[in-house]
Each structure stands twice: as C-alpha cells, then as structure tokens.
Amino acid sequence: MNQVSQPAQLNLLVGMHRSGTSLLASILPHLGVAVPGDLISADIHNPSGYFERRDVIELQENLLIELDRFWAGPNGPMPFPRNWQLHEAVVQFKEDLR
C-alpha cells in the first residue's frame, strides 16, 4: 500500500503585544501541540518565558524593519504602506517562513 506524504502542519499563534500569547503558547504543548525550535528564553519582562521561536521572531522583525514599521521606530504604529503585500521583503518573508 502506498502512503501519501502529508505536508507538515503549521500552527501560528498570533496576537498583539502583551495580549496573552505567551500564556497560550505555554499551554499548547500540554494539549499535544508541538512547539519545536529555539524558543526565546525567560527574562525580567516575562519570567515564565515567551514560548516563541527565535527564528520566526527574527523574520517578523526584519520584515517590519524593511517595511519601516518596526514597533520601536517612529512609523511603528502607522498602517502598512500601500501595496505592502507586493514588497520584495514580503515575498522573501514568505519564502523564508516556508
């Protein structure tokens, strides 16, 4: 019998800063959802840990910097630029995320 290979499942947990995403992400492994990869360690701001993949966060931050919308910059809270989905950084982000 031939088995058809299924693509790996990708679960993304997204949310606003300080909205409880780390708490939910800390619960997911107890529910059987794998959280593989190099996770961001605990620090003074989040003593229990972030439960976020370092590589995915770096991709996200690089994309926001390329779009001039990094949270710490003057344009961080501004809407994304017109046609941002077509920006070469978005195309690269999608490829890198895959």
Side-chain angles (χ1 to χ4, degrees):
M1 175 184 291
N2 291 345
Q3 291 186 350
V4 177
S5 175
Q6 295 292 322
Q9 183 175 352
L10 174 65
N11 296 300
L12 293 177
L13 170 60
V14 296
M16 185 62 191
H17 176 70
R18 306 301 298 164
S19 66
T21 52
S22 294
L23 173 63
L24 180 54
S26 73
I27 295 170
L28 291 177
H30 301 286
L31 299 174
V33 178
V35 184
D38 180 23
L39 303 181
I40 297 176
S41 302
D43 63 17
I44 192 169
H45 302 290
N46 201 338
S48 297
Y50 290 90
F51 302 91
E52 298 174 19
R53 283 183 55 148
R54 185 176 311 283
D55 56 347
V56 174
I57 296 300
E58 288 174 3
L59 286 174
Q60 173 193 345
E61 289 180 352
N62 289 335
L63 175 61
L64 293 174
I65 289 167
E66 288 295 320
L67 294 174
D68 193 26
R69 293 303 185 271
F70 188 63
W71 68 271
N75 291 327
M78 302 299 293
F80 278 8
R82 183 179 301 255
N83 297 320
W84 66 271
Q85 301 94 331
L86 305 175
H87 194 286
E88 64 184 57
V90 173
V91 174
Q92 185 63 51
F93 173 80
K94 288 179 182 179
E95 183 61 32
D96 291 345
L97 188 58
R98 278 187 192 89

